[in-house]
Amino acid sequence: MPVKTRLDDIGFRAGTGTFAVLLIALVVGIAVILYNDASMAIGKFGLQFWQTDIWDPVSGEFGARPFIWGTLYSSVLALLIAGPIALGIAIYISELCPAWLRRPLVFLTELLAAIPSIVYGLWGIFVLVPFVRSVEGGTPEWMRSIPLFSGPPLGLGMLSAALLLAIMIIPFSSSVAREVLRAVPQAQREGAYALGATRWEAIRMALFYARTGIVGSIMLGFGRALGETMAVTMVIGNTPQISTSLYAPQYTMAAVIANEFAEAADKLHLNALVEIGLVLFIITLAINALSRAFIWSLGRPAKSTRGSRAGEAVTEAA
């Protein structure tokens, strides 16, 4: 190998490796800065900050549990609503949609993903919240006795936030899942048809082949829901309480930071808000790590037994 070529290879490897190291350094730097800026609150409250329900800037008592609950509850609800819809959209566009309709649907899906969150929030206030309020007002009395549907019909609450988050993450998850399905080799479908599979069974084969990417697309939407700020702030009600009721106004970590950071009464209040940001950072990293581990566990057995598993699945489907 010529010397110049070897030097080019070494330079290219060193340059790309530098970018990777910078990415790791950026993540570590964010964690260190958040920890340093939240040191006063960490030193005063310790792990009780994660376990306390009180948030009282006047008395200097701060606990993040209502915000952690609101963030996870709203995000999980949004994921349960948006996941099947996003997957259905991806399957229809990639497998079933007529050619003349595919491009407009793709364009509209990507357009929804590009809309700013503040616009979704305004739509939520003027359209979604009144609709949810009317639905809550029409809830039968026997359903109101169930904790999940208890509370006054305010419209502003967990149900509005979950629905709005679901609408916001559907375009992201469906776009990625659609591209993953398009990347499935056509030979997989043709092999299924050759074994006598129906169209639905061939689609099942494509879903099985693309399962790791589909899970990744859903987790991408989940990550978007965890960090969403303005739209959720405008419709969730912003009340620091823990409730399983879909009608109850609640709070998220991103929303409390956005609402109170500029008006923090003292340094302890500011440190508590920064610690909430640190908690959100840790939770996001933990969920991403768990999702990567789950995706890895899905893909690992497929490398060694992909052919036999695929054949068995097609045979069972046929």
Side-chain angles (χ1 to χ4, degrees):
M1 180 181 293
V3 176
K4 185 177 183 304
T5 303
R6 292 185 60 186
L7 290 176
D8 290 343
D9 290 343
I10 294 173
F12 179 75
R13 179 175 296 181
T16 54
T18 301
F19 292 136
V21 172
L22 285 176
L23 182 62
I24 297 174
L26 179 62
V27 174
V28 174
I30 291 173
V32 170
I33 291 174
L34 288 174
Y35 181 84
N36 288 335
D37 290 346
S39 57
M40 180 183 292
I42 294 174
K44 181 174 181 179
F45 303 113
L47 292 178
Q48 289 298 318
F49 187 79
W50 295 64
Q51 305 168 10
T52 306
D53 297 345
I54 300 174
W55 184 266
D56 189 356
V58 176
S59 63
E61 295 295 328
F62 299 99
R65 190 164 68 167
F67 311 111
I68 297 173
W69 167 261
T71 300
L72 295 177
Y73 193 24
S74 61
S75 299
V76 170
L77 287 175
L79 187 66
L80 293 176
I81 297 171
I85 298 175
L87 183 58
I89 292 173
I91 292 173
Y92 179 75
I93 292 178
S94 62
E95 304 289 340
L96 303 172
C97 183
W100 61 270
L101 186 59
R102 180 175 292 113
R103 183 169 295 179
L105 287 180
V106 171
F107 172 77
L108 290 175
T109 304
E110 295 175 351
L111 178 65
L112 288 174
I115 295 176
S117 62
I118 189 68
V119 176
Y120 277 109
L122 291 172
W123 177 83
I125 287 177
F126 294 113
V127 179
L128 183 61
V129 168
F131 171 75
V132 171
R133 186 185 299 120
S134 64
V135 171
E136 293 174 355
T139 304
E141 288 299 326
W142 65 269
M143 288 185 65
R144 291 184 181 277
S145 61
I146 303 174
L148 190 64
F149 303 104
S150 61
L154 301 176
L156 294 171
M158 183 56 66
L159 181 59
S160 296
L163 290 174
L164 188 59
L165 278 176
I167 293 171
M168 293 179 68
I169 68 177
I170 282 173
F172 289 92
S173 296
S174 64
S175 296
V176 176
R178 183 188 72 241
E179 295 302 322
V180 169
L181 288 173
R182 287 184 60 188
V184 174
Q186 188 62 28
Q188 294 290 324
R189 301 176 179 84
E190 293 174 352
Y193 290 133
L195 291 174
T198 63
R199 191 169 191 179
W200 160 239
E201 291 163 346
I203 292 174
R204 283 178 56 192
M205 274 301 306
L207 292 174
F208 176 82
Y209 189 91
R211 63 193 184 282
T212 56
I214 291 172
V215 172
S217 69
I218 293 174
M219 296 310 299
L220 176 66
F222 188 48
R224 169 69 189 274
L226 283 173
E228 180 54 44
T229 305
M230 290 309 301
V232 174
T233 303
M234 298 169 75
V235 301
I236 199 171
N238 300 326
T239 301
Q241 63 174 332
I242 295 178
S243 174
T244 57
S245 175
L246 297 176
Y247 299 169
Q250 299 187 49
Y251 227 152
T252 64
M253 289 184 280
V256 70
I257 294 173
N259 284 336
E260 299 186 12
F261 194 83
E263 302 176 358
D266 51 34
K267 189 174 181 180
L268 181 61
H269 187 189
L270 186 62
N271 273 244
L273 292 172
V274 176
E275 187 174 358
I276 286 183
L278 179 61
V279 171
L280 179 59
F281 182 75
I282 293 172
I283 290 176
T284 303
L285 287 180
I287 290 176
N288 284 335
L290 290 174
S291 65
R292 290 303 308 169
F294 179 64
I295 292 173
W296 177 77
S297 68
L298 287 177
R300 183 177 60 172
K303 293 181 180 179
S304 58
T305 59
R306 178 177 297 170
S308 60
R309 283 174 176 257
E312 291 175 3
V314 172
T315 303
E316 292 176 1

